[in-house]
Amino acid sequence: MLKNLLKRRDKSRAAAEGGDSSQAAPESGAQQGGWFQRLKSSLAKTRKQLFSRLSGLLQIGRKIDEELMEEIEEILIQSDVGVETTLRLMDNVRAAVKAKGLGDASELESVLKAEILNLLGEDTPLACVPAESPYTILVLGVNGAGKTTTIGKLASRFRSEGQHVIVAAGDTFRAAAEDQLAIWCERAGAELIRGGEQAEPASVVFDAVHAAQHRDADVLIVDTAGRLHTKKPLMDELAKIGRVMGRAHEGAPHEVLLVIDGTVGQNALIQAKVFNEAVPITGVAVTKLDGTAKGGIVIAVKAEIGAPVKLIGIGERLDDLRDFAAADFVAALFASEGTET
């Protein structure tokens, strides 16, 4: 059926310690040049790898046949959409082609867009729920994924919305982790609860939950140690943190956010599946999409782990972490160079 199947370090410390004011505050609309244009520019490598190649196949006059479908499948797989997601997507495309009686390859682009949007599902932005106050967000991820930077940007976002934010320094294995969070919290105007190097992580998190309750915090963001998903004791510790949060505050954690590095492609899905076994993931943040040709991983996340992409990161500025909007993402992937909003 299918033919021919088959240094980037974490910038969080640089982002946290850098003194560049362009990273310390969002830019004006004029400076941004429009969010869609920035998104499109950031996805340029993925667009070249994936959809620019597809456009070469979807020419007027070419017949839709199985050979064309297999060529599309091969491009999708090579672009880190993944085998399972690609097969599911293309089954849906075939069904739509048959139902609509399509025959020309040029008619496939709209079908592909629609079926990708169907896989991505409805947008589910990350939002604080006042009734759950303090709204607790447990943040997971391997070292280098951009976890600390994501926490800092989230804290800044909630503070800009008038929320009282507390951050728990649950990564007690690295002294630098607490220092980086302290810088981000000072910048964002958020409180930091820390237990010191080698403190028991679950204990720090327990104290942070109670502090958030007693100080009438609106949001508690819990950092965890960046860990290899292959290290079972560390994953067991993560599960323990989740249980401790649940005992300390009913319904906690309300959000379990996994931060994955968009540059690692299918390896991110392997990580996600193991993390999901320790603490069920409710949302995913995909970072570093501006530096990769593997943005197809965004399409695979919801289909393969069941949790929606809620945030995407396309740069180091505070406003480069945004709620994921599937329609904008798909439009940017298929956009011509002159398209802008």
Side-chain angles (χ1 to χ4, degrees):
M1 180 179 177
L2 297 176
K3 296 179 180 178
N4 305 321
L5 206 60
L6 332 146
K7 169 163 105 163
R8 185 165 178 179
R9 293 176 59 87
D10 181 18
K11 289 186 177 180
S12 60
R13 184 171 185 177
E17 296 178 353
D20 189 345
S21 61
S22 67
Q23 296 180 7
E27 295 180 340
S28 68
Q31 290 173 314
Q32 292 176 18
W35 166 249
F36 181 80
Q37 183 63 20
R38 290 166 61 198
L39 175 62
K40 186 172 78 99
S41 176
S42 296
L43 293 175
K45 291 181 180 179
T46 297
R47 187 166 56 252
K48 181 178 179 181
Q49 168 70 16
L50 180 53
F51 292 102
S52 293
R53 294 171 64 195
L54 285 177
S55 64
L57 299 178
L58 308 183
Q59 300 295 321
I60 296 176
R62 178 167 180 178
K63 179 182 177 182
I64 297 177
D65 55 20
E66 190 56 27
E67 181 180 359
L68 174 61
M69 294 297 192
E70 289 182 352
E71 289 183 65
I72 295 173
E73 286 175 340
E74 186 172 338
I75 291 173
L76 290 169
I77 290 169
Q78 291 173 352
S79 301
D80 280 87
V81 175
V83 175
E84 182 179 333
T85 304
T86 294
L87 294 178
R88 179 177 171 184
L89 172 62
M90 292 308 295
D91 282 347
N92 294 342
V93 168
R94 287 182 175 91
V97 167
K98 182 177 180 180
K100 296 178 181 181
L102 305 181
D104 193 274
S106 63
E107 299 173 294
L108 278 178
E109 180 174 315
S110 62
V111 176
L112 279 167
K113 286 181 179 179
E115 294 305 331
I116 290 171
L117 283 171
N118 285 338
L119 282 183
L120 290 172
E122 295 184 5
D123 295 338
T124 53
L126 186 69
C128 172
V129 180
E132 305 286 0
S133 182
Y135 190 71
T136 56
I137 305 172
L138 179 63
V139 185
L140 323 177
V142 300
N143 284 328
K147 183 163 53 67
T148 304
T149 303
T150 298
I151 290 172
K153 291 178 179 180
L154 275 178
S156 179
R157 166 178 154 174
F158 286 126
R159 285 291 297 134
S160 72
E161 296 171 354
Q163 307 289 345
H164 177 188
V165 180
I166 292 179
V167 175
D171 181 357
T172 61
F173 296 99
R174 293 187 309 129
E178 289 192 1
D179 294 339
Q180 291 165 20
L181 275 180
I183 294 171
W184 275 110
C185 288
E186 182 178 0
R187 179 179 297 173
E191 294 184 60
L192 178 65
I193 304 296
R194 56 199 301 176
E197 190 175 359
Q198 300 304 316
E200 210 278 315
S203 176
V204 174
V205 173
F206 182 82
D207 291 343
V209 173
H210 280 281
Q213 291 169 329
H214 294 146
R215 299 175 192 177
D216 294 323
D218 299 296
V219 183
L220 171 65
I221 306 174
V222 177
D223 186 22
T224 56
R227 59 199 72 214
L228 291 174
H229 57 287
T230 54
K231 301 296 185 182
K232 188 176 185 301
L234 292 177
M235 298 306 290
D236 290 343
E237 176 66 33
L238 196 60
K240 180 180 178 181
I241 290 173
R243 293 193 300 271
V244 166
M245 291 179 69
R247 287 197 295 267
H249 182 43
E250 185 177 356
H254 303 104
E255 183 82 53
V256 180
L257 185 69
L258 176 66
V259 180
I260 61 176
D261 180 349
T263 68
V264 303
Q266 287 294 301
N267 284 335
L269 286 183
I270 297 172
Q271 297 169 10
K273 290 175 182 178
V274 179
F275 275 107
N276 199 35
E277 292 176 2
V279 184
I281 297 165
T282 60
V284 178
V286 184
T287 65
K288 307 181 186 179
L289 285 175
D290 54 318
T292 182
K294 299 180 178 182
I297 188 64
V298 172
I299 300 171
V301 167
K302 174 68 180 296
E304 297 202 23
I305 69 171
V309 175
K310 293 195 173 184
L311 298 164
I312 56 172
I314 61 169
E316 292 300 326
R317 293 190 292 258
L318 285 175
D319 62 337
D320 283 333
L321 181 72
R322 295 286 185 99
D323 288 326
F324 178 68
D328 287 347
F329 179 79
V330 173
L333 286 176
F334 280 91
S336 63
E337 290 307 310
T339 305
E340 187 174 355
T341 57

